[in-house]
Each structure stands twice: as C-alpha cells, then as structure tokens.
C-alpha cells in the first residue's frame, strides 16, 4: 500500500520535511496547514517540488470548527473553505481533512452537522476535492469514530467520507471492530499513530506523546486489520505529534517512521520481508579508546587476559569464559575517552540477519578489511553503535576469530562466564527509534519502559532481549538533550559467585564503586538477609534485588571514559536488571565523578 506521512511529524522547514520524507521512501505526504503558511514557496512551487521528489500530496489538513453551528457562522465557514479549496487546487491536493468541531458554538444536532457537511462537500466537489471527516477524541459534540461515521452516512454525499485516526480511536478505548461496518470506499483516509499508555488529558497526550506504530502501547496493527477488512485501499499515513521528533533531525526521524510502517505492513500481511534472525549470544563487545592502558588495567583485574591481536589493526582481544572484549586504539578512538562502539551478535544465519536489517532501512556499514579478513556483515543502530552479525566457531560460516593471532601469556581467570547484558545510552532523540530498531531488526522482545530517578532528573530505560536471555540490551536516555554524554555505557558480566568475583577484582587492584551505607539499612528492612550477607555486601558495594523468579546480586567498577563494568549474579531465573537499585548506582557514580573531576 501507499505510505504517507504528515509534515507535522517531522522537524524543519517544509522543504526539509519533504526531502526527508522522499529519501526515507514515502510515497506521499499530508501537508499540515501551518507548514504551508510558513513556507516561502507558492503552492505551485510546493506542488512541483513534491513531484520532483516523487511524492504525492495525499491530504491537506485541517479545516476546523466547520459543522453544527448557527447559519451565520456556517456561512463564514463556507467562505473560509472556498479559499482553502482554491489553494488546494493550486497545490494539487484532492482530499481535505475536516476535524470535528471543538467550538463552543457547536450544537448537539447530528442532523444539522450532516446537512452542513453535505453543503461543504457540495462546494468541495466544485473543486474536485473530497472531504474526510474525522472525530477528534476531544471533539465538543462528536468525539468517536462511529458517531462521525453516523453523521457522514446521514449526509449521504459522494464527496464526503470519514477519516480514521488510530490515536483518536484507541486513546478513548473505543472498540475498533465496528470499523468493519463502514464501507471501505467511504473511508477516505487512514491516519496512524501509537502512544505510550499514559493517564493524562487526552489533548495533551495527543499533542506531545504520540509515536510511530510499534513504539507505544496501542494495538495499531489490530486496528489496521479491521480497516483492511472494509476494503480500504488508500494510504497508510502517519500523523505523529511528538515534542522530541519535532526537535530531532528530520532525516533519521523519517527513516524511523518508514521503518515503522514496513514492520506494520509485515505484521498485518501487506508486505513480506526477510524473516527476523534472532541473535543467540554476544560474540564480543568492542571498546574504542585513545588509551588502552586504563582499560587493560580494569580488564586484567576482572580476570580477563589478552589472548589475541588482530592481524592488521590495532585491536586486542581480551577474553574470559565466553565473554570477549575487543580494545580498539585505531583512528576511530574518541578524544573524550573510552566508548562502547560495536557489538558482535552471534547469529545462526549472518547473511539473512543482514538482509533483514537492510530491508528495514538499517545502514549497511562498509568495512575496511584485508583480503584474508572474515567477511562480516555489519549495520548501524540508530545511536551509531555498529552491530556485527557473527558466527564464532561455526564449521561452515566465516569466523571473525580467525582474523586474530594468539598472543602468549597467562590464561584468563574463571570468575566471569559470559556477557549478561549490555547497556547503551541513547542520544536524547533516538530512544523510541532504538526500541523499534532492536525489536524489529533483531527480533528481540521489548519490555515496558521504566523511569529511574537520577539525582539530576529522570532516566528512561527499556530493555530488549531474546526469549531465552542469551542476548539482553538495556537502552536508556536521560532527561535532557546533552544527557547522553553524562551517563555511561556499560558491559554487565555474568558470574556464578559475585562475592568471590568482587573480592578477586579488588585484590587485583580494581576499584569497585562505593555504595552509601544507607542502602544496606534499606536492604535489611526490605529483605530477610542475614547480618553476614549484609556485611559482605556493604564491604564490597554489592547491591541486591529479588523478583518472583529469583535473586540478583551485582556490583560496579569505576568508570573508564564513558564505560564501566558490572558483575552480575542471577539465581533462580531472575528476569530484571536491578532497576530498583539504579537510583543508588547513579547517585554513587555522580559522587565518584565529582571526586575525580571527571
């Protein structure tokens, strides 16, 4: 089906929005009136610009407060509409959105509303225009889609149909099944938006918190299925009001928007994409650093050993158990310190995983490699993290490990068994994009967002994981645009005995993050831990949590650059990430940063 996006969903000038929509692969746009009014281009120039970009103008929006008003006011409304229809003819748009009235002068009279909308449609027909009538969730008299359809049906005008908007329908809790009673040819337009499930005024919810399908809590796919059963064949169009999207760069937002529609079409059976290839483990985590020594000190204290070096690049492989960390001191090293730049994901079919990623608009990364290097597939996540699809020790697939030559030295320790999870701090405007990307491209299941108290605001976090827990990635974002440079990324390392691992780390010269004593007083009140356990946890800075499935013990190293390590012990099937302890950890890291001046 055709895909479209409302210009209000993107930031920038109208020209910038149109360019972004075209490059992202959209077929058309809804032109929001304010964008046209603020543009220096004449309607004819906008029409030509859209044609050059391969975009149709699927809708002009909106006309407001038109129907069910006193005759004198309706006469003025028709005069206003005539001007807009003349403009639309110059623009080349043939469908106009009319929102249900929120005017105080609107009266509760469906017959009057139908009669006046019919007269509006008579005028529109003179210009070759169709009128799509939409129920706003906060409409003064008409606020539900079935009520709006009743008025349209009563009017019985061929140039008058309805516009369905997923936000207005689902935010009110309306049952979308009734959509199937509307003839498909009378659904003139379909607007789509998701949203997080919030308890707030619906107008504020709509104006500030909409998101693209798959990023919120609404069953947008279920609604679309009902619409398709009517025979609707018009565009799938996104109308998303979101404060973050309006400030983010238009290009990446448009790509994310189009990705959401591709996934939606796959879900409802309108498109066939390469099937997801869920990763089965973490092959490696790659740190890029201008100075390998501080990283090497921490890794060595954790029990890792430098076991190999890349044949042609300044990249060392540190390993312990199934946990592998690459330390890259090449040209990509950032001046602001160590960063977690790339992740190797074990895949049963790396080529198919890459095809899935490319089909969902993930940028394929070119690699500088020698002829003998393993041909690894790699794409970029929204935050710029490089994702490599790997097959370690697979007898029939290229093995990235073959690019490294073993180096002599002491063997690794045995405290760490593998990577428990990775935590990636997202740029302020990429959080929703990241959740959709990891869910749709990698096939990971997304948990609900969690708000974590930070001493200087709220940190949002959302985890994505494979069903068996073999891959876990915690995505987070701070409360302000610059906050992604404050909070650090981290690698959580699995251990069977976090107390023993912490003691070994400290004995080897490692510095654990000190945790305030008040936390342990609270643990004593919340859990039935023995005095000995509490004393040990207090001594080592170990935090504790419990859920219905098991227990979680974890502690943290000091931060190196923008990265720190976490030692994690999961017992009995614990499923979380210690979110209840995150405020204590964040406060302790802020305190440590002040002491070191970092």
């Amino acid at each position: 089906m055709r895909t479209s996006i409302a210009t209000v969903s993107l930031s920038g000038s109208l020209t910038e929005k149109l360019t972004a929509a075209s490059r992202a692969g959209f077929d058309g746009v809804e032109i929001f009136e304010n964008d046209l009014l603020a543009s220096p281009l004449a309607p004819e120039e906008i029409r030509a610009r859209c044609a050059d970009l391969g975009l149709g103008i699927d809708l002009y929006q909106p006309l407001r407060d038109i129907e069910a008003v006193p005759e004198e006011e309706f006469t003025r409304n028709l005069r206003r509409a005539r001007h807009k229809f003349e403009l639309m003819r110059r623009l080349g748009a043939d469908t106009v959105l009319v929102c249900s009235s929120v005017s105080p002068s609107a009266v509760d009279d469906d017959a009057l509303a139908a009669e006046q909308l019919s007269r509006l449609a008579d005028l529109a027909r003179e210009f070759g225009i169709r009128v799509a009538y939409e129920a706003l969730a906060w409409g003064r008299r008409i606020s539900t889609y079935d009520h709006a359809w009743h008025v349209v049906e009563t009017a019985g005008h061929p140039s008058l149909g309805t516009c369905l908007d997923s936000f207005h329908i689902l935010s009110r809790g309306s049952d979308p099944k009734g959509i199937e009673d509307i003839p498909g040819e009378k659904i003139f337009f379909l607007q789509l938006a998701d949203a997080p499930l919030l308890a707030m005024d619906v107008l504020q919810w709509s104006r500030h918190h909409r998101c693209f399908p798959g990023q919120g809590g609404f069953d947008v796919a279920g609604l679309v299925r009902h619409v398709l059963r009517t025979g609707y064949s018009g565009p799938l169009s996104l109308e998303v009001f979101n404060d973050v999207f309006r400030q983010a760069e238009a290009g990446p937002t448009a790509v994310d928007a189009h990705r959401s529609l591709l996934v939606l079409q796959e879900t409802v059976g309108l498109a066939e994409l390469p099937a997801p290839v869920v990763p089965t483990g973490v092959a490696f985590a790659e740190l890029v650093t201008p100075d390998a020594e501080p990283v090497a000190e921490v890794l060595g204290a954790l029990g890792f050993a430098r076991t190999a070096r890349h044949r042609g690049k300044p990249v060392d492989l540190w390993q312990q158990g199934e946990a592998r960390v690459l330390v890259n001191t090449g040209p990509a090293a950032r001046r602001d310190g160590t960063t977690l730049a790339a992740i190797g994901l074990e895949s049963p079919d790396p080529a198919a995983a890459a095809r899935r990623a490319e089909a969902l608009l993930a940028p394929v990364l070119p690699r500088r490699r020698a002829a003998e290097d393993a041909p690894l597939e790699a794409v970029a996540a929204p935050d710029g993290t490089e994702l490599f699809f790997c097959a370690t020790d697979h007898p029939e697939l290229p093995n990235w490990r073959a690019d490294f030559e073993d180096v002599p030295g002491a063997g690794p320790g045995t405290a760490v068994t593998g990577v428990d999870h990775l935590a990636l701090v997202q740029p302020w405007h990429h959080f929703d994009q990241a959740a959709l990307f990891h869910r749709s491209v990698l096939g990971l299941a997304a948990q609900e967002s969690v708000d974590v108290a930070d001493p200087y605001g709220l940190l949002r976090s959302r985890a994505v994981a494979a069903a068996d827990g073999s891959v876990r990635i915690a995505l987070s974002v701070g409360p302000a645009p610059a906050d992604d440079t404050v909070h650090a990324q981290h690698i959580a390392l699995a251990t069977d005995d976090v107390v023993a691992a912490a003691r070994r780390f400290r004995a080897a010269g490692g510095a654990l993050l000190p945790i305030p004593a008040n936390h342990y007083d609270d643990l004593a009140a919340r859990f039935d831990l023995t005095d000995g356990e509490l004393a040990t946890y207090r001594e080592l800075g170990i935090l504790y949590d419990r859920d219905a499935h098991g227990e979680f013990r974890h502690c943290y190293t000091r931060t190196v650059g923008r990265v720190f390590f976490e030692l994690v012990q999961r017992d009995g099937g614990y499923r979380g990430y210690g979110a209840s302890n995150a405020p204590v950890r964040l406060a302790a890291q802020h305190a440590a940063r002040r002491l070191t001046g970092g």
Side-chain angles (χ1 to χ4, degrees):
M1 296 183 75
R2 283 178 55 82
T3 59
S4 184
I5 187 169
T7 55
V8 74
S9 307
L10 303 171
S11 68
S13 68
L14 179 57
T15 299
E16 290 170 327
K17 296 179 182 195
L18 296 176
T19 301
S22 173
R23 288 178 176 172
F26 283 96
D27 302 305
V29 290
E30 305 175 33
I31 293 186
F32 195 65
E33 183 175 56
N34 289 354
D35 286 321
L36 183 140
L37 297 180
S39 174
L41 301 179
E44 292 83 1
E45 293 174 301
I46 295 170
R47 178 179 186 169
R49 176 64 174 164
C50 287
D52 289 343
L53 292 170
L55 294 171
I57 301 177
D58 294 325
L59 187 75
Y60 184 71
Q61 61 155 298
L63 277 177
R64 301 182 183 274
D65 298 333
I66 291 289
E67 83 290 358
V69 293
E71 182 61 28
E72 181 179 350
E73 183 173 343
F74 184 69
T75 300
R76 292 194 297 270
N77 290 343
L78 284 179
R79 176 184 175 278
R80 173 162 54 99
R82 179 177 290 276
H83 280 276
K84 298 302 178 184
F85 295 158
E86 289 172 348
L87 180 150
M88 289 177 62
R89 183 157 57 186
R90 297 169 61 195
L91 193 62
D94 65 1
T95 305
V96 65
L97 178 69
V98 174
C99 299
S100 63
S101 180
V102 298
S103 171
S105 59
V107 297
D108 188 10
D109 187 335
D110 286 358
L112 179 61
E115 187 268 335
Q116 291 183 341
L117 286 173
S118 181
R119 289 163 63 189
L120 177 71
D122 275 337
L123 178 62
R125 185 165 54 179
E126 295 177 17
F127 293 85
I129 289 171
R130 303 186 309 165
V131 175
Y133 182 58
E134 172 189 62
L136 294 178
W138 53 90
R140 185 170 181 84
R141 304 296 181 187
I142 297 174
S143 57
T144 63
Y145 78 90
D146 49 345
H147 193 174
W149 164 240
H150 169 70
V151 170
V152 168
E153 188 177 31
T154 300
H157 197 290
S159 295
L160 177 65
T162 190
C163 172
L164 299 176
D165 184 304
S166 65
F167 180 86
H168 293 303
I169 295 169
L170 299 176
S171 65
R172 292 185 58 89
S174 298
D175 185 353
K177 190 176 189 310
I179 290 171
E180 297 183 27
D181 296 330
I182 305 174
E185 66 273 13
K186 295 302 287 184
I187 301 175
F188 282 3
F189 211 73
L190 174 63
Q191 293 179 318
L192 301 173
D194 206 336
L197 302 180
L198 302 173
M200 67 185 307
D201 172 74
V202 69
L203 177 56
Q204 295 304 311
W205 191 9
S206 172
R207 286 288 175 258
H208 302 284
H209 298 286
R210 295 194 195 195
C211 54
F212 298 128
Q215 295 178 344
F218 289 162
D219 183 11
V220 178
L223 180 142
V224 171
R225 290 189 183 97
H226 290 303
V227 175
L228 294 176
R229 290 184 189 117
T230 69
Y232 173 77
S233 59
L236 300 177
S237 189
L238 298 170
E239 186 196 39
V240 174
F241 298 85
N242 184 291
D243 293 346
V244 174
F245 296 171
R246 289 172 180 170
Q247 298 175 62
E249 187 180 348
T253 303
V255 169
D256 188 48
H258 198 233
R259 179 183 296 123
S260 76
L261 284 185
L262 289 172
V263 175
L264 179 65
Q265 290 182 85
E266 178 186 43
T267 302
V268 302
L270 287 174
E272 186 173 344
L273 303 176
V277 181
V278 180
T280 57
V282 176
F284 62 80
E286 182 173 354
L287 302 180
V288 174
T289 181
D291 184 2
E293 185 174 349
V295 180
E297 289 178 356
V298 174
L299 288 172
L302 285 166
F304 283 78
R306 189 172 75 95
T307 59
R309 184 169 179 82
H310 197 280
R311 287 193 306 266
K313 301 173 185 176
V315 181
D316 289 329
L317 169 60
W318 292 73
Q319 185 164 350
Q320 184 176 187
E322 293 300 313
R324 305 176 191 89
V325 178
L326 304 184
V327 179
N328 185 339
T329 54
R334 291 169 52 131
R335 294 181 180 178
D336 58 350
T338 303
T339 59
L340 176 53
I343 300 169
L345 296 170
E346 296 283 4
S347 175
D349 191 341
R355 287 194 296 272
R356 168 78 176 183
E358 190 171 4
L360 287 173
L361 312 179
V364 176
L365 296 175
R367 289 189 66 223
R368 179 179 64 84
R369 65 182 183 89
E372 65 273 16
D373 287 350
L376 295 183
E377 308 280 358
V379 299
D383 65 349
T385 300
E386 297 180 358
L387 301 177
F388 290 86
F389 301 113
C390 304
T392 305
D393 298 327
H394 193 287
E396 299 176 1
L397 295 172
N399 186 352
W400 66 274
R401 182 65 179 78
D403 294 346
F404 289 77
E405 297 177 343
D406 293 341
V407 299
T414 58
V416 169
T417 58
V419 173
D420 181 87
H421 66 272
L422 300 160
L424 303 177
V425 179
Q426 302 300 301
W428 188 62
H429 52 285
H430 284 164
F431 183 73
D432 289 326
Q433 293 182 31
L436 177 63
F437 176 92
H438 287 83
R439 182 181 64 80
S440 61
V441 172
L442 302 182
L444 301 176
Q447 298 180 5
E448 291 298 320
S449 294
V450 176
D451 289 339
V452 176
D454 178 89
Y456 301 99
L458 283 178
L459 189 73
R460 285 182 69 199
S461 180
R462 190 174 194 184
V464 292
D468 61 359
S470 57
V471 175
R472 301 183 185 97
I473 300 174
L475 309 167
S476 64
V477 65
D483 215 56
D484 59 293
T485 63
V486 175
H487 294 97
Q489 306 157 312
H490 76 268
I491 302 171
L493 303 168
T495 179
D496 294 330
D497 188 340
V498 71
V499 171
R503 289 198 188 283
R504 290 191 191 100
F505 176 69
R506 198 171 62 173
L512 291 165
L513 182 70
I515 301 299
N518 291 335
H519 172 70
Y520 299 98
D521 293 337
D522 180 60
L523 281 186
R526 292 167 54 209
F527 302 109
D528 53 347
L529 302 173
T530 67
D531 291 343
E533 284 180 288
L534 284 170
T536 299
Y537 298 164
R538 186 192 303 264
E539 172 199 355
L540 298 172
I542 293 174
L543 299 101
Y544 177 89
D545 191 30
R546 184 186 299 168
D547 66 11
H549 308 281
E551 297 175 292
F552 191 65
R553 297 169 177 86
H554 55 136
C555 60
Y556 302 92
T557 70
R558 297 294 186 104
T559 302
V560 179
R562 292 190 59 216
V563 176
F564 62 94
F565 294 88
E566 179 183 9
L567 289 168
V568 165
Q569 179 182 342
R570 293 178 184 267
D571 292 315
Y574 177 91
R575 296 182 181 179
Y577 298 82
S580 63
N581 295 327
V584 177
R585 186 260 297 176
L586 289 165
Q589 287 179 322
H590 279 290
R593 189 178 296 115
R594 287 195 299 270
L595 288 174
T596 60

